[in-house]
Amino acid sequence: KGFPWKRLAAVAVTVFALWLVFRKINLDELFAVLRNTRVGWFVAALGVFGVTILSISVMRFRKTIE
């Protein structure tokens, strides 16, 4: 089948994009904010995000079956 060049390119682009985003962030400030995060609200937000993504995926999957 050969080497997955498209997959490697996608990973490289993703790593580069993350580097662009995180290079300007002060990590000490980021960790200070994360330490002061209310865990309950953070978990609730992650749950809502997960349910939203899952719902959208299910709707798209059902649409492709029809």
Side-chain angles (χ1 to χ4, degrees):
K1 190 173 182 177
F3 192 78
W5 290 107
K6 288 182 182 179
R7 175 83 39 122
L8 181 63
V11 170
V13 168
T14 302
V15 169
F16 179 70
L18 288 172
W19 174 77
L20 283 176
V21 170
F22 284 105
R23 69 186 173 135
K24 300 275 185 170
I25 294 177
N26 183 338
L27 293 180
D28 292 332
E29 288 181 24
L30 174 64
F31 292 134
V33 168
L34 291 176
R35 276 193 296 275
N36 293 325
T37 301
R38 294 183 182 183
V39 176
W41 284 109
F42 185 73
V43 170
L46 284 177
V48 169
F49 177 75
V51 167
T52 303
I53 295 299
L54 182 62
S55 300
I56 292 170
S57 298
V58 167
M59 287 187 292
R60 289 183 67 198
F61 180 71
R62 286 184 179 170
K63 195 173 190 177
T64 59
I65 292 176
E66 294 174 353

